[in-house]
Amino acid sequence: MYNLLKGKKGIIFGALDSKSIAWKVAERAHEEGATFVLTNAPVALRLGTISELAEKTGSQIIPADATSIMDLENLVDQAMEVLGGKIDFVLHSIGMSVNVRRGNHYTNQDYNFTKTGWDVSALSFHRVMSVLYKKDAMKEWGSIVALTYMAAQRVFPDYNDMADNKAYLESVARSFGYFFGRDKNVRVNTISQSPTPTTAGSGVKGFDGFVAYAEKMSPLGNATALECADYTISLFSDLTKKVTLQNLFHDGGFSNMGISSAIMDDFMKEYEVKEEEPKKKDKK
Ligand SMILES: NC(=O)c1ccc[n+]([C@@H]2O[C@H](COP(=O)([O-])OP(=O)(O)OC[C@H]3O[C@@H](n4cnc5c(N)ncnc54)[C@H](O)[C@@H]3O)[C@@H](O)[C@H]2O)c1
């Protein structure tokens, strides 16, 4: 590999199992010479397989619920102690909607669920940055990345209230990123990733069909979790020092497409069948 993160120290949120995007980021960061701590909600640590990843990458696991300031303060203190200094990179790879899990339609949300989903998926990013900022825990020219999805800008009906959570998350990246840049020379960005088969992703209704659709729409095809990890590594490296306050699409070109010939061909097949049916009837 390229030693892009040689000597860098990090905190990686959100590795649950080997499908998680954060899992791939941890594997790639390890290959690139970084040391880091892994963290996840205590319940996820019990359900997932993160200890395998910790062993493989020589990392310590520090539990933290991203909705708890106390947990996050403890995490950052412990991370600096374990890693022996300030933090160079942080990955926020956290998402969960209770409305999606319970099958509530967007137009008929349980607002307590909405609040919980927003707290976990969006406000948590502010909370993480606030703790890092107040503790002055980030090293100069460090990099903070959160993962997001294009439903923040365009309508994807089944993405439900996660669309609103992602819009908030992306806004927090810009607003907090300003202060982190101005005061600490730290950059903050979001990566807007293709649909990716993971535990969180697969919870969205009609996910498999949507993955196939996005694949046909994107000139380069969908970006995989590993490719997302590669891109994330580039944002943690010193090669992207002046990239900040950005929402960066990592989606094989999907976000700038109107229609692709592959999707059009499929549509026309269906359209022609429908056109022919009445003609056949007319002949009778
Ligand atoms: N999979 C996709 O299609 C896709 C596409 C674009 C963006 N994303 C985003 O990528 C990120 C990672 O998701 P993933 O697809 O790898 O799925 P995943 O299910 O593997 O990861 C989600 C993680 O969030 C963690 N989490 C949930 N509640 C938490 C809490 N209270 N405190 C701390 N951690 C908590 C989970 O334990 C899990 O590790 C999410 O922000 C997701 O929205 C995913």
Side-chain angles (χ1 to χ4, degrees):
M1 288 292 154
Y2 314 97
N3 269 329
L4 282 175
L5 304 185
K6 193 161 179 243
K8 291 196 187 294
K9 308 173 203 303
I11 301 177
I12 298 180
F13 286 83
L16 178 68
D17 54 35
S18 59
K19 285 183 283 177
S20 301
I21 298 169
W23 187 288
K24 309 282 182 210
V25 172
E27 287 181 330
R28 286 291 295 111
H30 178 61
E31 283 170 2
E32 294 296 339
T35 51
F36 46 84
V37 297
L38 297 168
T39 183
N40 210 322
V43 58
L45 296 180
R46 286 196 298 277
L47 298 175
T49 53
I50 195 174
S51 52
E52 253 174 60
L53 180 66
E55 205 171 306
K56 190 173 169 187
T57 57
S59 316
Q60 198 158 314
I61 302 167
I62 303 172
D65 182 331
T67 63
S68 157
I69 280 279
M70 246 172 59
D71 280 12
L72 293 173
E73 284 177 346
N74 176 55
L75 166 71
V76 170
D77 289 343
Q78 275 201 48
M80 286 201 286
E81 206 176 297
V82 169
L83 299 169
K86 289 194 182 189
I87 310 299
D88 297 281
F89 64 88
V90 174
L91 176 70
H92 177 288
S93 184
I94 300 172
M96 192 276 302
S97 158
V98 193
N99 282 308
V100 167
R101 281 197 183 170
R102 299 288 175 90
N104 289 344
H105 194 263
Y106 182 78
T107 55
N108 185 34
Q109 298 178 29
D110 175 320
Y111 293 124
N112 284 322
F113 294 169
T114 309
K115 280 185 202 159
T116 303
W118 166 75
D119 199 13
V120 170
S121 311
L123 192 60
S124 61
F125 192 38
H126 192 286
R127 221 179 267 113
V128 166
M129 286 198 281
S130 172
V131 171
L132 292 164
Y133 183 89
K134 286 180 190 159
K135 286 187 178 291
D136 197 22
M138 292 299 295
K139 208 183 269 176
E140 231 193 337
W141 299 111
S143 171
I144 301 173
V145 169
L147 296 179
T148 186
Y149 182 56
M150 207 184 60
Q153 290 81 31
R154 312 262 170 97
V155 178
F156 293 87
D158 292 327
Y159 204 64
N160 213 313
D161 56 342
M162 278 303 288
D164 306 328
N165 293 336
K166 290 305 192 191
Y168 188 95
L169 177 96
E170 292 175 16
S171 178
V172 163
R174 288 185 291 272
S175 303
F176 218 129
Y178 167 70
F179 295 107
F180 248 126
R182 186 194 69 179
D183 303 340
K184 319 260 188 200
N185 281 334
V186 166
R187 59 206 190 274
V188 180
N189 296 289
T190 50
I191 295 178
S192 187
Q193 163 68 7
S194 291
T196 314
T198 62
T199 304
S202 311
V204 176
K205 197 172 138 211
F207 184 75
D208 291 346
F210 185 65
V211 169
Y213 172 80
E215 175 75 22
K216 279 198 169 186
M217 185 66 107
S218 316
L220 296 180
N222 289 331
T224 65
L226 181 58
E227 285 160 344
C228 185
D230 283 337
Y231 190 35
T232 308
I233 297 296
S234 76
L235 288 176
F236 289 161
S237 81
D238 291 335
L239 301 177
T240 53
K241 271 182 162 170
K242 289 286 171 81
V243 180
T244 197
L245 312 186
Q246 302 301 314
N247 179 44
L248 302 158
F249 289 102
H250 182 252
D251 62 1
F254 182 90
S255 45
N256 266 347
M257 290 299 295
I259 188 84
S260 71
S261 45
I263 296 286
M264 199 60 199
D265 287 350
D266 285 356
F267 175 76
M268 285 312 288
K269 270 182 226 147
E270 217 178 283
Y271 181 74
E272 277 158 11
V273 170
K274 279 195 189 136
E275 283 273 282
E276 271 166 25
E277 274 168 5
K279 277 182 206 155
K280 277 182 208 159
K281 276 185 203 152
D282 289 349
K283 277 183 192 165
K284 279 181 196 166

